[in-house]
Amino acid sequence: MSNIKNTRRSILSFGELLLRMCPDGDGQWLTENKLPFFIGGAELNVANALALWDLPIRYFTAVPENELTQQILNSLEAKNIDTSAVYKHGNRIGLYYLTRGKDVKNNAIVYDRAGSAFADLKPGTVNWDAVLEGVSWFHFSAICPALSQQAADVCLEVLQAASRKQITISVDLNYRPKLWQYGKKPAEIMPQLVQYADIIMGNVWAEETMLGIEVTPEMHESGQQSVYLKESLYSSERIMDEYPRCRAVANTFRFDAGKGIEYYTALYTGNRFYHSATYTTDTVVDKVGSGDCFMAGLIYGFYNKQDPQQLLDFATAAAWGKLSILGDATTQTVDEVYNTMKQ
């Protein structure tokens, strides 16, 4: 990808740091007075993976200035995540509650993010040129602009600043229907943000919801991998046509069959279409963060200038491996991901 420059400069991941409270499904946490938690946020999960894989990663979020915050930031620094760009203001860190073993798309999720330091960020507050100094890659997701019009405006502001600096930009089209509650549909907000992206990752249904790239109606009933992959190619070509800056589109397919999971992915770049091997399993430890791990794998591969099939296979294996790891962030090393690929 010829437009990716200065490859040893920092990758900046931008988004809200959250605490995930994780009650069990039977309510035992109420009896035991124990509520497990994880430090999360989609963009921080990406940063965690890239730090583990020895890439120079910086994280931007907004948090209040207090002892709790400092402990959290210290823990991120200990993982080699550069937190120097974190903006301190406001009164609270956002929370969300997700019943153990459930998916973030499930009714088992409850958000408690209103009035958080990140949600209260306003345009014109942060010096983005300073934040982006020494950065060659900027990553964000559709979760931030889902919070409010104000959050979407902050997103647009930083994307324009990154674009002026010719920084490579990636986006994960994470769709969280419970967050889009401020009177705007995703398709009214996301296209003006996605126009700045070089790498777009999601799935064909998110692309329909966020970008208006319609999915073939009868595809839903097919269940056939060949049909889904063909739809992925069609959707990718449409995105490339509508967003001239885009250089690569990646799609994931994760199907829950009872207790089991089937998982495979696709990538369209350089006028060529690639797809991964298919992974299946009956045992899943934690579904949270798998897509973030895939996104991190894409960034890792493009940043290191790997060929498209190699980077897709790495990203897919990393996402797959995350399903067997408790918590929001992966603990897999690069070698462990390559071992997954060999199995």
Side-chain angles (χ1 to χ4, degrees), residues 59-319:
Y59 180 52
F60 177 89
T61 193
V63 291
E65 188 141 23
N66 57 42
E67 180 62 28
L68 173 69
T69 294
Q70 198 52 55
Q71 289 179 10
I72 292 171
L73 295 183
N74 289 347
S75 74
L76 300 186
E77 287 283 349
K79 295 180 177 181
N80 291 323
I81 298 171
D82 179 350
T83 63
S84 61
V86 170
Y87 187 76
K88 293 179 181 173
H89 83 137
N91 300 309
R92 61 169 301 215
I93 290 174
L95 308 175
Y96 75 106
Y97 299 80
L98 181 64
T99 304
R100 192 179 308 157
K102 298 292 186 180
D103 195 295
V104 288
K105 301 178 184 68
N106 192 285
N107 279 337
I109 191 166
V110 177
Y111 289 108
D112 180 15
R113 302 171 69 163
S116 70
F118 190 89
D120 282 351
L121 273 180
K122 293 179 174 62
T125 305
V126 178
N127 179 350
W128 295 118
D129 285 338
V131 168
L132 296 167
E133 185 63 38
V135 169
S136 65
W137 190 298
F138 178 88
H139 175 66
F140 78 109
S141 85
I143 293 176
C144 170
L147 297 176
S148 65
Q149 183 64 59
Q150 180 175 293
D153 292 343
V154 170
C155 255
L156 181 60
E157 185 181 61
V158 64
L159 286 168
Q160 289 171 338
S163 187
R164 284 194 299 271
K165 290 178 170 284
Q166 296 184 299
I167 292 169
T168 299
I169 295 169
S170 58
V171 61
D172 181 348
L173 298 177
N174 285 339
Y175 179 48
R176 302 288 182 266
K178 284 193 174 184
L179 289 180
W180 289 91
Q181 301 297 327
Y182 60 95
K184 292 285 181 73
K185 292 178 179 172
E188 296 176 78
I189 298 291
M190 289 307 299
Q192 65 172 332
L193 304 179
V194 169
Q195 67 176 320
Y196 295 102
D198 300 279
I199 316 288
I200 297 171
M201 176 275 208
N203 62 57
V204 293
W205 298 279
E207 288 152 11
E208 179 177 58
T209 302
M210 302 222 162
L211 305 180
I213 307 289
E214 292 181 3
V215 172
T216 307
E218 56 269 22
M219 186 197 75
H220 295 290
E221 281 73 49
S222 81
Q224 292 181 13
Q225 184 176 114
S226 59
V227 174
Y228 289 128
L229 290 175
K230 185 178 178 183
E231 191 71 23
S232 174
L233 172 59
Y234 170 70
S235 179
S236 299
E237 288 173 333
R238 287 273 311 277
I239 289 171
M240 290 283 203
D241 287 343
E242 293 187 24
Y243 298 93
R245 178 164 168 165
C246 179
R247 298 286 176 270
V249 180
N251 280 297
T252 63
F253 295 91
R254 192 179 88 190
F255 299 106
D256 296 25
K259 288 187 175 180
I261 294 261
E262 180 181 64
Y263 187 81
Y264 55 92
T265 67
L267 177 69
Y268 184 69
T269 187
N271 292 318
R272 289 192 61 189
F273 185 71
Y274 306 84
H275 66 86
S276 73
T278 303
Y279 291 83
T280 55
T281 185
D282 293 328
T283 55
V284 174
V285 174
D286 202 330
K287 295 175 183 176
V288 175
S290 174
D292 306 326
C293 220
F294 179 75
M295 186 73 241
L298 291 180
I299 295 172
Y300 180 85
F302 279 121
Y303 187 96
N304 286 322
K305 298 185 174 172
Q306 295 177 344
D307 72 73
Q309 188 67 58
Q310 182 186 11
L311 72 86
L312 181 66
D313 291 344
F314 180 89
T316 307

